Amino acid sequence: MSTTIVPRRRRDPKGGALTALTWIIAIGFFFPVLWMVLTAFKQESDAATRPPTVFFMPTLDQFKAVFDSGIGVPLLNSVFATVISTTLVLVLGVPAAFALSLRPVRKTQDALFFFISTKMLPIVAAIIPLYVIVGRIGMLDNIWTLVILYTAMNLPIAVWMMRSFFLEVPSELLEAAGMDGAGLWTSVREVILPIISPGIAATALICVIFSWNEFFFAVNLTAVNAQTMPVALTGFMSGQGLFWAKLSAASVLAALPVVICGWIAQNKLVRGLSFGAIK
């Protein structure tokens, strides 16, 4: 019996160097986040030392101070505005994307251009008219104002993203479902949506990130009652100085919900972000 000897593959030194360089770059990008998390568990005296203190006794005092400062209301406002606006974007965006892909309407390209043209105007150019309108209808410092604006802000991007996901679904699936007696909405609910669920998850996560991190509308149209987390973070920088440990603790709390959402959706996120990229 003859045996076949498979030659061992030689390691490419260029490949190893590229891998090492990739890790160095990744660690470089992640290091500020790691340092922020470490600083959140320091005392202010340890956070402000030069050179920086690497070894210290961890404490939760800064997180307690952040909650004692009243961060709970902005946190709940951000959660409310983000969840409601993202839900509205999906409720409105899924039918629109379906109509512009598998069941195209007349002048589809004009509709798509209208959607994306709303993102061409700089936000700063629209803030004065928005402020006047919102003020006259008595909606200043109202969380529902941010919900409406965040929905309008994210809807065009969501429609464009989900349309690319719908285009990946063969139209024959709808025809086959129709031959089996399924109606349009039954076909969409039972056949189409389960297939594009990774794309919907990716779209929802992007809307969550955009809404949660939005600052410009929130700082100009809210004061106290509807203040969100990005605006509340600026309150930890005062004329008395920069409290690095307390600010880091507040920043960790602000980033944690988005990180949790990404972790929950990670199984579908990678496939969803690549879904529709290759025709």
Side-chain angles (χ1 to χ4, degrees):
M1 180 182 294
S2 61
T3 58
T4 303
I5 300 177
V6 179
R8 296 181 59 184
R9 295 180 60 184
R10 295 182 179 180
R11 293 183 178 180
D12 186 4
K14 293 183 179 180
L18 182 60
T19 301
L21 179 62
T22 302
W23 273 104
I24 293 174
I25 294 175
I27 293 173
F29 275 102
F30 180 72
F31 181 77
V33 179
L34 175 62
W35 190 255
M36 178 188 71
V37 175
L38 292 176
T39 304
F41 292 93
K42 294 181 179 179
Q43 297 289 354
E44 291 292 349
S45 57
D46 294 328
T49 58
R50 295 292 185 274
T53 301
V54 179
F55 302 100
F56 59 93
M57 182 64 66
T59 178
L60 296 176
D61 292 345
Q62 307 308 324
F63 292 96
K64 182 178 182 299
V66 168
F67 280 107
D68 291 342
S69 66
I71 201 69
V73 173
L75 183 62
L76 291 177
N77 285 336
S78 288
V79 171
F80 181 84
T82 300
V83 172
I84 300 300
S85 64
T86 301
T87 302
L88 290 175
V89 166
L90 295 180
V91 170
L92 298 173
V94 169
F98 176 79
L100 294 171
S101 55
L102 295 180
R103 291 295 176 90
V105 297
R106 293 181 59 186
K107 297 184 178 181
T108 297
Q109 295 301 321
D110 294 342
L112 289 172
F113 177 77
F114 171 76
F115 274 115
I116 204 64
S117 65
T118 60
K119 304 297 296 181
M120 298 178 184
L121 180 68
I123 296 178
V124 68
I127 191 60
I128 294 179
L130 283 174
Y131 186 89
V132 173
I133 294 172
V134 171
R136 288 187 176 180
I137 63 177
M139 293 286 286
L140 285 174
D141 199 20
N142 190 314
I143 193 62
W144 283 103
T145 300
L146 296 183
V147 169
I148 295 172
L149 291 176
Y150 292 171
T151 302
M153 175 183 70
N154 290 326
L155 186 58
I157 299 175
V159 171
W160 271 76
M161 287 186 62
M162 287 190 288
R163 178 177 180 269
S164 67
F165 304 144
F166 274 113
L167 289 175
E168 288 293 320
V169 179
S171 59
E172 290 79 7
L173 288 178
L174 279 177
E175 297 175 1
M179 294 178 63
D180 291 338
L184 176 60
W185 289 112
T186 302
S187 301
V188 172
R189 186 178 64 253
E190 301 294 337
V191 179
I192 305 300
L193 291 184
I195 295 176
I196 68 165
S197 59
I200 294 178
T203 303
L205 182 59
I206 290 177
C207 292
V208 166
I209 293 173
F210 286 171
S211 299
W212 186 268
N213 293 333
E214 200 283 323
F215 177 79
F216 193 76
F217 285 144
V219 76
N220 286 284
L221 301 177
T222 67
V224 178
N225 296 328
Q227 189 181 72
T228 58
M229 279 298 292
V231 179
L233 289 179
T234 61
F236 294 97
M237 297 179 290
S238 64
Q240 299 176 351
L242 296 176
F243 299 94
W244 293 112
K246 190 175 180 181
L247 178 59
S248 297
S251 299
V252 170
L253 292 175
L256 192 59
V258 178
V259 173
I260 293 175
C261 290
W263 180 76
I264 294 174
Q266 63 179 337
N267 292 332
K268 296 184 178 181
L269 183 59
V270 175
R271 183 168 178 259
L273 291 176
S274 60
F275 198 22
I278 301 175
K279 300 295 292 179

